[in-house]
Amino acid sequence: MPSETPEEARRSTALFLSTVDRAEPGLLTGFYLVGSVCFGDFHARGAGRGRLSTASDIDFVAVAERRPGPGGISALAQAHATTVARFPKPRFDGSVLTWADLAAGPDDCPDVPCAQESRFAAAGRDGLNPVTFCELATRGIAVRGPEPSDVDV
């Protein structure tokens, strides 16, 4: 992870990945930061910008070789719960896709494990949109896996 990655993103990501890896080794073969972190516009406590002056989220795209089964879903749910319990702010939001999902694009993805506003769902569509895919392809920060420029997105 680049040294300029905000500490909040580093610690939440490290805890999430280590918790998943302990419970279900090899499940996640890719992990990318997107959103404000990848644009260098992350503000953990609010930017004082805009009418809402809201804090940034930590947005991610996690990648598995294949759809997680019940054990994988359980590992993801537990890792997410552990992460947001320890670090409730900023929110930790993202989706778990396969490499094939990335190649197919957001419109052809089925419902996937995801989290929005720090709430995990075993199946949903949060993060499955052209903006997230474009951010990943052009600016994503590789924490695990190949660089985004080497991924078929």
Side-chain angles (χ1 to χ4, degrees):
M1 191 174 330
S3 61
E4 65 273 8
T5 302
E7 178 57 30
E8 294 86 353
R10 295 166 81 68
R11 69 180 189 204
S12 292
T13 298
L15 179 58
F16 178 78
L17 288 172
S18 66
T19 306
V20 169
D21 291 346
R22 274 193 305 278
E24 194 79 13
L27 175 64
L28 296 181
T29 55
F31 193 93
Y32 302 89
L33 294 170
V34 294
S36 61
V37 171
C38 75
F39 285 97
D41 194 31
F42 179 82
H43 301 279
R45 289 167 196 69
R49 298 165 35 163
R51 65 181 183 83
L52 298 178
S53 182
T54 58
S56 298
D57 296 335
I58 299 166
D59 297 308
F60 68 86
V61 174
V63 187
E65 294 294 328
R66 59 190 164 283
R67 302 248 174 268
I73 296 292
S74 178
L76 292 165
Q78 181 57 47
H80 193 267
T82 298
T83 303
V84 300
R86 181 140 181 226
F87 305 117
K89 297 288 182 180
R91 291 181 173 149
F92 192 67
D93 297 339
S95 53
V96 181
L97 307 174
T98 65
W99 298 109
D101 292 336
L102 290 176
D107 292 341
D108 291 327
C109 283
D111 289 357
V112 298
C114 59
Q116 181 66 31
E117 296 184 356
S118 289
R119 289 188 299 266
F120 180 82
R125 302 216 42 90
D126 293 310
L128 297 181
N129 60 68
V131 171
T132 300
F133 277 57
C134 184
E135 288 176 0
L136 173 58
T138 62
R139 303 285 303 234
I141 297 172
V143 176
R144 177 180 288 177
E147 288 299 318
S149 59
D150 297 328
V151 176
D152 186 11
V153 181

